[in-house]
Amino acid sequence: MAKDLELFDNKIIVLYILDTNSKALSIDQIAKFCEDFDDITYFDICAYVEDLKASNYIKEVLQDSNLLYEITENGILTLRELLELIPGVNLYNIKKIINKNIVKVKTDYSIDTVTIPIKSEEFKVSCYIKDGNDELVNITIYAGNKNQAKNISKNWNENAEKIYSTLLEMMTKDEL
């Protein structure tokens, strides 16, 4: 019975991780969130994900050839009900561990921009994708005004992976 309760609690942790993130996550990213939980292994996470998927609490999403997972509406509703059953101290510890590891997950792969003023109404926008300490791409684009700089930044943050894939494909072709 104790093993079943532990399994139940660990599945709640996976649901909670997926619920607190704004983006779908890979199994590797979920595993990074769970690094500090002594009783959760990578293989356990794979089994939890399959069980949660079979119960329609989470769903698979294919993004740029990557298999990611996100919580479903059914999963969100179930999680809300179950969180009321977890004692406050346990929920506090879960949140503390997850928040500590969110920095690791976010630094492993980041998409962002830096806007650099040149003159009063001229800007450069540096758009980049980093994987850990490796910079996959860094493109600096001239923006004629503040609005254009904001649009470049917004569009990069929303479409960086697609832009990067297109650039990579175009630049690695044998012939243009």
Side-chain angles (χ1 to χ4, degrees), residues 64 109 111 129 155-156 158-169:
D64 300 323
Y109 185 79
I111 296 170
I129 300 175
N155 287 323
W156 178 260
E158 292 174 359
N159 302 299
E161 292 170 348
K162 184 178 178 182
I163 295 167
Y164 175 72
S165 296
T166 303
L167 280 172
L168 188 62
E169 182 181 317

Side-chain angles (χ1 to χ4, degrees), residues 1-89:
M1 179 68 178
K3 185 71 176 164
D4 290 340
L5 190 57
E6 181 182 305
L7 183 68
F8 175 76
D9 288 348
N10 292 345
K11 287 180 185 178
I12 291 173
I13 291 169
V14 172
L15 279 178
Y16 185 80
I17 289 167
L18 291 171
D19 185 48
T20 56
N21 279 280
S22 57
K23 292 184 175 183
L25 299 173
S26 68
I27 288 196
D28 290 342
Q29 289 171 318
I30 295 169
K32 281 195 190 309
F33 275 107
C34 296
E35 281 179 348
D36 292 335
F37 292 102
D38 294 331
D39 57 342
I40 302 177
T41 69
Y42 182 86
F43 299 107
D44 292 333
I45 292 167
C46 293
Y48 302 154
V49 165
E50 285 304 312
D51 288 348
L52 292 167
K53 192 174 70 170
S55 301
N56 293 319
Y57 294 132
I58 65 173
K59 65 180 178 181
E60 289 181 344
V61 179
L62 190 62
Q63 289 181 356
D64 300 323
S65 306
N66 295 318
L67 190 57
L68 305 176
Y69 299 90
E70 62 185 19
I71 193 166
T72 63
E73 191 64 36
N74 188 29
I76 292 169
L77 295 173
T78 303
L79 179 64
R80 298 286 179 264
E81 290 177 19
L82 294 175
L83 284 178
E84 293 176 11
L85 302 175
I86 299 174
V89 175

